[in-house]
Amino acid sequence: MKKAHINIGEYLASDQPLIIHTILGSCVAVCLYDLKNQIGGMNHILLPGKPSLKEYDPSARYGINAMELLINRIMSIGGDRRHLKAKVFGGANVISAITEEYSMGKKNSEFAIDFLNDEKIKIANMDIGGKKARKIFFHTDTGDVFLKYIPPVLQTYISKKEADRLKRIKREIDRIGKVTLFDD
């Protein structure tokens, strides 16, 4: 069976059997699937919610965009929204200096669960929170997910990678130039 890896801020869906995999620390992945049509997909959410209009960015790194883009892609390849089920993974508190209550992982997890509940998409299973990073393998045709916890030694690397990505995104947003609507 073919395999594909998605990174932070990406999403992928397929109407052919495919194993999509990713590594999660505080990020959250939502696996959506339509078992009747054997279509599924996964996203990799870095930040909960949506970007402000002032700092708009349509990428899938923001929760609302990641969810809408994935749902729309699944429907465009033949999936039926009424048959969608979800599995949610990640949201770990991998930075020990931050309490669980204020962790980005908790915020990401809460966003994903609230979104799915608001959209009336049934959550079939989830493995969220805790302090361990995860690697997941999602089978688009069956909805099966295989999960492997990552040893703590690698967690430092993953949290650094996520923190670096977040800093880079914030720098990109700050670099947005001036727009001149009318020139005298």
Side-chain angles (χ1 to χ4, degrees):
M1 185 178 295
K2 290 184 179 181
K3 293 181 182 177
H5 177 79
I6 63 169
N7 293 303
I8 295 168
E10 295 180 339
Y11 69 98
L12 180 63
S14 178
D15 59 356
Q16 299 297 312
L18 178 68
I19 299 171
I20 304 172
H21 56 95
T22 196
I23 297 174
L24 304 162
S26 61
C27 291
V28 166
V30 176
C31 303
L32 291 177
Y33 60 99
D34 170 352
L35 201 52
K36 183 176 181 183
N37 293 304
Q38 295 185 321
I39 294 172
M42 178 169 60
N43 58 27
H44 189 134
I45 300 169
L46 174 67
L47 299 167
K50 60 184 178 179
S52 70
L53 292 176
K54 180 180 169 188
E55 299 173 347
Y56 182 71
D57 183 342
S59 81
R61 62 183 161 231
Y62 292 99
I64 191 75
N65 297 8
M67 294 305 301
E68 293 295 338
L69 288 166
L70 180 58
I71 290 169
N72 289 339
R73 179 66 184 138
I74 288 171
M75 290 175 18
S76 76
I77 58 175
D80 187 332
R81 186 177 173 86
R82 297 170 299 175
H83 299 142
L84 288 180
K85 290 189 178 168
K87 294 184 179 180
V88 183
F89 300 91
N93 182 16
V94 293
I95 302 172
S96 59
I98 299 173
T99 64
E100 177 106 17
E101 179 183 358
Y102 298 107
S103 76
M104 188 57 69
K106 181 176 178 161
K107 292 174 184 176
N108 284 332
S109 299
E110 287 173 348
F111 165 80
I113 292 166
D114 289 346
F115 179 92
L116 293 165
N117 288 332
D118 289 347
E119 295 296 318
K120 305 208 178 356
I121 297 173
K122 182 181 183 221
I123 300 172
N125 202 342
M126 65 177 129
D127 188 275
I128 58 172
K131 296 190 180 294
K132 294 181 180 177
R134 300 156 171 88
K135 183 167 186 176
I136 61 169
F137 300 85
F138 171 60
H139 293 249
T140 60
D141 57 328
T142 64
D144 291 335
V145 176
F146 295 92
L147 177 144
K148 180 179 180 180
Y149 290 107
I150 296 175
V153 140
L154 295 177
Q155 285 186 203
T156 304
Y157 169 75
I158 292 166
S159 17
K160 181 175 178 351
K161 190 173 179 180
E162 286 182 355
D164 290 346
R165 177 77 176 190
L166 182 58
K167 285 178 190 173
R168 189 173 40 228
I169 289 166
K170 286 181 178 179
R171 279 194 309 269
E172 287 173 18
I173 289 170
D174 290 340
R175 275 192 249 154
I176 295 174
K178 287 186 174 181
V179 175
T180 304
L181 297 177
F182 301 100
D183 195 14
D184 291 332

